[in-house]
Amino acid sequence: MKTAVIYWSGTGNTEAMAKAIAESAGAELFSVSAFSASVLDYDRIAFGCPSMGAEELEESEFAPFFDKIESQLRGKTIALFGSYGWGDGEWMRNWTERCTAAGATVINGEGLIVNETPSDDDLNKCAALGRALAE
């Protein structure tokens, strides 16, 4: 099974989460700007993006990338994750609904969110998400 973790991070918080997920999943790790393959080449994918602005996906790199690949998610098992500094996680709920509507199965039925810098406990949750992704 071929697995990828694709993320965008502005402060390093979502990147730390991505690294923990990729390591435990045995996945290839890509920043969104470095991902040049097709999501169709992967059996399972974790997508990471922090909450930006009014609880939205990052608009300059991640959102355009995700808009392009969203139609390719049908039948895929995916994980969603990201950090936030304000709000209540609305961006993740919306993103999860969007992925489910596109035909993807989101692991645990929800994304994993972390407020600000991931703690050791948060990184353990990321590792558990990575293991679930690899199953």
Side-chain angles (χ1 to χ4, degrees), residues 55 84 86-94 113:
E55 289 208 63
Y84 69 103
W86 59 89
D88 69 353
E90 179 183 9
W91 106 99
M92 187 58 73
R93 290 190 300 276
N94 292 341
I113 61 174

Side-chain angles (χ1 to χ4, degrees), residues 31-42:
S31 67
V32 71
S33 62
F35 185 75
S36 60
S38 168
V39 295
L40 297 174
D41 295 338
Y42 292 88

Side-chain angles (χ1 to χ4, degrees), residues 7-102:
Y7 71 94
W8 185 92
S9 186
T11 63
N13 294 339
T14 299
E15 180 179 19
M17 296 174 73
K19 287 178 177 178
I21 293 166
E23 183 177 323
S24 66
E28 296 177 56
L29 179 65
F30 303 94
S31 67
V32 71
S33 62
F35 185 75
S36 60
S38 168
V39 295
L40 297 174
D41 295 338
Y42 292 88
D43 302 297
R44 295 189 170 216
I45 307 167
F47 296 102
C49 186
S51 172
M52 304 294 287
E55 289 208 63
E56 299 169 347
L57 298 175
E58 189 277 327
E59 295 175 340
S60 65
E61 286 185 65
F62 194 87
F65 161 79
F66 200 79
D67 289 345
K68 286 181 189 175
I69 60 94
E70 186 172 358
S71 65
Q72 300 171 10
L73 297 180
R74 180 163 301 286
K76 295 240 181 243
T77 298
I78 65 171
L80 302 175
F81 66 94
S83 61
Y84 69 103
W86 59 89
D88 69 353
E90 179 183 9
W91 106 99
M92 187 58 73
R93 290 190 300 276
N94 292 341
W95 193 16
T96 300
E97 289 173 15
R98 182 176 167 185
C99 292
T100 301

Side-chain angles (χ1 to χ4, degrees), residues 3 20-26 79 107 125-135:
T3 307
I21 293 166
E23 183 177 323
S24 66
I107 292 177
K125 290 176 185 173
C126 292
L129 182 62
R131 288 189 296 277
L133 185 65
E135 290 179 350

